[in-house]
Amino acid sequence: MDLLVLVAPLLMAQAPALQVGTPMPQVHQQLLTTGWSVSREANDSEPLSPRQSHLKQRIPALITCSGTGSGYCAYGYSRQGQNLKVVASSDGPLLRWQLGEAWYGEGLSQQ
């Protein structure tokens, strides 16, 4: 059996090289450039407020934002059957991201 066939699924499951603190518009462009697309969940989500509508126009991967507190927002991407969720402070700095069951980023140890 070809080694690439055995290793390819492991390589595809690696979390993207994101950096905490990167502005969300830059993260969005980076993900699109590296083959990620807006997830079905994000495409199907409806903004809950005028603020979210404006944000979704700028970053179509928006799923939802919290209504109170720090205003964290969730964004969704997919690639080759993988789902990636990204959490940022509105359209501000990237805080954390999830690929499969593993979470990465601020306040989390990488797995």
Side-chain angles (χ1 to χ4, degrees), residues 91-104:
D91 63 345
L94 174 67
L95 300 172
R96 60 187 66 93
W97 54 99
Q98 178 186 25
L99 181 63
E101 298 297 316
W103 279 92
Y104 304 87

Side-chain angles (χ1 to χ4, degrees), residues 20-83:
V20 171
T22 304
M24 192 55 211
Q26 184 178 335
V27 170
H28 179 72
Q29 286 304 320
Q30 177 185 346
L31 290 170
L32 295 179
T33 301
T34 57
W36 292 90
S37 59
V38 175
S39 71
R40 182 175 309 223
E41 181 182 14
N43 278 326
D44 293 344
S45 70
E46 293 291 328
L48 301 175
S49 70
R51 178 180 154 268
Q52 286 186 28
S53 292
H54 176 71
L55 187 55
K56 191 161 181 82
Q57 288 174 1
R58 293 180 49 229
I59 307 173
L62 178 70
I63 297 170
T64 191
C65 295
S66 62
T68 61
S70 300
Y72 293 147
C73 295
Y75 299 86
Y77 298 89
S78 62
R79 179 176 74 180
Q80 300 174 344
Q82 301 175 83
N83 290 308

